[in-house]
Structure formats: C-alpha cells, structure tokens
C-alpha cells in the first residue's frame, strides 16, 4: 500500500505544483504562511527544521523566508528531484515518516503538510516525530481532514473535491486516478479531533483549527 502511494506521487511529480496552485486557487500558500507564522511564536531563534513529506518543497519555500536551517525528507524520488532543482542549497533525504534517518532530539520543529494522510502507519510516524524532536519541540501538521459533521458548505466542497478536482487534475497531470485518490483518502482519514487524539500520548496540542471554506486543517503541538 505504502509503495503504491509513493509510486503515485512519483508519477504526478512533474505537474504536482501547477495542479496544486490551480485546484486550491492558490489558497494552500496562504495556509502554509499562517501555519508557519503561528509555529514561529513557539520556536527559538533560527530553529532547526525538518520538513517531512516535503514533496516538491512548497513548505521549504515558506520556511526559507525565516531561516536556511532546513532539511527535507520524502520517499518519492521524483518529488525530490523537483525539490532539489528548486532548492539546491537545501539537503534532502529519501525516506519514510515512520522510519526517520536522524538521531534522537535533532530538530526544534517538524512540519508535515498534506503528507500524514499518506502515511500508512501513523502511530509509528508520531513516535518517530517525538523521538527526533528536541525537548518541547514543535510538530506542525497541515492536512485535509474529514468533517466533524456535514454542512451545506462542506457538501459543496466535497462536490468540488469528488467531481471537479479529479477532472482538472487528471487533464493536467494525465493521471486521473491520482486525483481521485485525494477525495477518497480524505473520506477514509480522521476528523481534526480524531487526529489530535492520535497525538496525545506524545504531544500536547497547542492549537488546532479548520481553515474556513476548505477541508484543510492545522495542528500545532508541543512534544511532552
Ligand atoms: C500531497 S504531497 C505534499 C507535499 C508537500 N508537503 C506539500 O505540501 O506540497 C504528499 C507527499 O507525501 C509523501 N509521502 C507519501 N508517503 C509518505 C510517508 N510514508 N512518509 C513521508 N512522506 C510520504 C509523498 O511522496 C508526497 O510527496
């Protein structure tokens, strides 16, 4: 299953950025900006950052406005090729969230944006995040979560995600299946509250919020 997911990201890597911008109407940039600004309030100066599931490097682009002390990690070779081209000065590792190739207590912050939904052993990844974070280190998660309850707005968003997004994504990337995976995997994923509960053995959630008019959520949590 994990191999299949990574292969799918390999296939869509060349068109990932352009599809992202179009199907999210650019709002993913705003979510990243807000999430990083909020996280910085809990971090020391010049924090050491690990961006897990870094993909083509969109979070790194935002973190770089504040520091160059960043490492990226992703299992997809093709996504990493795009990221390395964009940021030749940043060090990237190929690897999985559930098996991080780093020493204990190495980082002040771990970010994972739109990546944790793809991790098949989430609990193992959470343990790894806690292991490689320093004392009181910060975990920043951006993810599309399942709604706590259905609403008219959420029905409209789901209609867009289920019916329109796979068509646009499919046409641009030539891989409709990959863009059907997005809404399907959200439906199978956790709600924001459930995801917070998953963290609570190792982390204290400082802030958890759903972004307005979107399925995107943000969690900022501190290592206990
Ligand atoms: C939707 S992309 C998000 C990329 C980037 N973080 C962003 O915000 O644009 C999901 C990424 O998760 C990566 N991924 C899939 N399974 C993973 C795992 N088990 N551990 C870490 N990353 C994983 C994929 O290769 C892909 O690059």
């Amino acid at each position: 299953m994990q191999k299949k997911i990574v292969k799918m990201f390999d296939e869509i890597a060349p068109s990932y950025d352009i599809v992202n911008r179009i199907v999210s109407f650019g709002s993913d940039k705003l979510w990243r900006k807000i999430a990083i600004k909020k996280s910085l309030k809990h971090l020391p100066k010049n924090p050491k950052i690990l961006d897990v599931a870094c993909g083509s490097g969109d979070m790194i682009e935002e973190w770089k406005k504040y520091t160059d002390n960043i490492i990226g990690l992703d299992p997809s070779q093709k996504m990493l090729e795009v990221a390395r081209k964009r940021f030749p000065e940043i060090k990237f590792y190929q690897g999985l969230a559930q098996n991080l190739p780093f020493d204990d207590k190495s980082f002040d912050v771990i970010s994972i944006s739109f990546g944790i939904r793809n991790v098949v052993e989430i609990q193992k990844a959470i343990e790894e995040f806690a292991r490689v974070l320093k004392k009181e280190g910060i975990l920043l998660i951006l993810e599309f979560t399942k709604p706590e309850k259905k609403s008219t707005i959420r029905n409209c968003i789901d209609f867009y995600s289920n019916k329109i997004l796979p068509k646009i994504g499919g046409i641009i990337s030539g891989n409709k299946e990959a863009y059907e995976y997005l809404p399907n995997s959200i439906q199978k994923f956790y709600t924001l509250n459930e995801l917070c509960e998953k963290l609570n053995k190792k982390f204290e959630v400082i802030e958890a919020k759903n972004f307005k008019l979107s399925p995107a959520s943000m969690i900022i949590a501190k290592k206990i």
Side-chain angles (χ1 to χ4, degrees), residues 116-117 122 141 143-150 154 185-199 205 208-210 215-219:
I116 202 156
R117 194 171 17 92
I122 286 204
I141 300 176
E143 193 48 272
F144 296 122
T145 51
K146 223 165 59 176
E148 305 291 341
K149 54 181 189 315
K150 282 281 182 181
R154 185 64 196 224
S185 64
I186 298 173
Q187 285 316 315
K188 287 187 196 139
F189 195 58
Y190 302 111
T191 65
L192 178 58
N193 285 334
E194 286 166 347
L195 187 54
C196 288
E197 274 169 30
K198 290 262 155 216
L199 297 175
V205 174
K209 69 178 250 137
N210 286 122
S217 298
M218 177 201 78
I219 299 176

Side-chain angles (χ1 to χ4, degrees), residues 100-117:
L100 296 174
F102 305 108
D103 291 338
D104 296 0
K105 302 184 182 151
S106 297
F107 299 96
D108 294 297
V109 55
I110 290 178
S111 55
I112 177 161
S113 66
F114 311 108
I116 202 156
R117 194 171 17 92

Side-chain angles (χ1 to χ4, degrees), residues 16-141:
Y16 176 81
D17 283 344
I18 178 80
V19 176
N20 231 6
R21 287 300 96 73
I22 294 171
V23 299
S24 80
F25 306 107
S27 46
D28 66 300
K29 275 196 175 268
L30 181 66
W31 303 329
R32 295 174 207 279
K33 247 189 221 342
I34 294 171
I36 286 179
K37 272 212 164 139
K38 282 180 182 276
S39 303
L40 284 167
K41 288 186 196 150
H42 306 282
L43 289 169
K45 275 220 163 76
N46 199 23
K48 194 166 175 204
I49 299 160
L50 172 63
D51 187 40
V52 174
C54 65
S56 60
D58 276 354
M59 275 307 259
I60 289 172
E61 179 175 64
E62 197 54 39
W63 278 122
K64 267 181 70 62
K65 292 178 184 162
Y66 303 94
T67 175
D68 270 338
N69 203 355
I70 313 164
I71 285 177
L73 174 134
D74 199 284
S76 159
Q77 180 63 35
K78 298 281 179 203
M79 284 294 219
L80 287 175
E81 276 170 23
V82 180
R84 285 186 176 120
K85 251 189 217 144
R86 282 175 80 185
F87 307 104
E89 69 286 11
I90 299 285
K91 189 155 189 198
F92 290 97
Y93 288 76
Q94 189 170 17
L96 295 168
Q98 54 272 50
N99 187 15
L100 296 174
F102 305 108
D103 291 338
D104 296 0
K105 302 184 182 151
S106 297
F107 299 96
D108 294 297
V109 55
I110 290 178
S111 55
I112 177 161
S113 66
F114 311 108
I116 202 156
R117 194 171 17 92
N118 305 300
V119 177
V120 292
E121 299 149 299
I122 286 204
Q123 210 57 53
K124 213 167 163 196
I126 292 169
E127 278 164 28
E128 279 291 85
F129 297 160
R131 181 182 67 75
V132 305
L133 275 173
K134 292 181 191 170
K135 188 166 178 261
E136 302 199 329
I138 293 293
L139 173 64
L140 166 60
I141 300 176

